[in-house]
Amino acid sequence: MEYQRVKHIENIQIPVRALDESIAWYEQNLGFRLKGYGNKSLAFLQLNETNHVNLWQTDEDTTINFFKDGQAMPAFVMVTEHIERLYEDLNRTNTTIVAYSDEGFARGLKFLDPNGNLLLVLQYK
């Protein structure tokens, strides 16, 4: 008998250096809401009923990024319907924009959070 092996993705875990500053950045720039704390080093953020991010404060020099052919790649991809406005808003907050491009199937906006985590937002065509 077949069964659904995995129901859904619970959350994305992101390492950060300064928890309170990172919470504020994710709330102000991406619209997440703080739902609570697991402990003094762990914050639960929620975008909506099914999309969650956990921020883990760490003293280690690490990010969520991975590398392919020497290029940093985002492990965390989000979707918007207002990529131009998001681009303008992120520029206003001095967020480091890595790339803003047309990928053919979607427009893509790559940027760094304050901890050096590379994030990608897509607007599908």
Side-chain angles (χ1 to χ4, degrees), residues 23 27 32-37 43-46:
I23 293 167
E27 287 178 327
F32 284 89
R33 293 181 323 275
L34 177 65
K35 294 304 288 184
Y37 293 90
F44 304 122
L45 302 182
Q46 182 176 15

Side-chain angles (χ1 to χ4, degrees), residues 4 8-10 30 34 36 44 47 50 53-54 59 69 74 85-86 90 96 98 100 103 111-112:
Q4 184 177 5
H8 64 271
I9 295 171
E10 171 58 29
L30 300 178
L34 177 65
F44 304 122
L47 186 60
T50 59
V53 167
N54 292 354
D59 294 330
D69 299 328
R85 286 182 63 188
L86 179 60
L90 291 173
T96 300
V98 175
Y100 183 43
E103 301 300 320
F111 54 94
L112 299 175

Side-chain angles (χ1 to χ4, degrees), residues 19-61:
L19 190 59
D20 291 334
E21 291 173 19
S22 297
I23 293 167
W25 189 88
Y26 277 82
E27 287 178 327
Q28 294 165 6
N29 288 283
L30 300 178
F32 284 89
R33 293 181 323 275
L34 177 65
K35 294 304 288 184
Y37 293 90
N39 57 49
K40 66 180 183 158
S41 299
L42 172 61
F44 304 122
L45 302 182
Q46 182 176 15
L47 186 60
N48 54 40
E49 290 299 314
T50 59
N51 295 280
H52 304 86
V53 167
N54 292 354
L55 300 180
W56 281 94
Q57 183 166 313
T58 179
D59 294 330
E60 297 175 31
D61 187 19

Side-chain angles (χ1 to χ4, degrees), residues 12-17 26 61-68 70-77 98 110-120:
I12 303 294
Q13 311 245 5
I14 300 176
V16 300
R17 289 184 290 279
Y26 277 82
D61 187 19
T62 186
T63 64
I64 193 173
N65 313 340
F66 68 96
F67 289 83
K68 177 170 181 347
Q71 181 179 358
M73 301 292 290
F76 183 26
V77 181
V98 175
K110 289 183 185 177
F111 54 94
L112 299 175
D113 78 359
N115 305 281
N117 292 298
L118 182 61
L119 307 174
L120 172 60

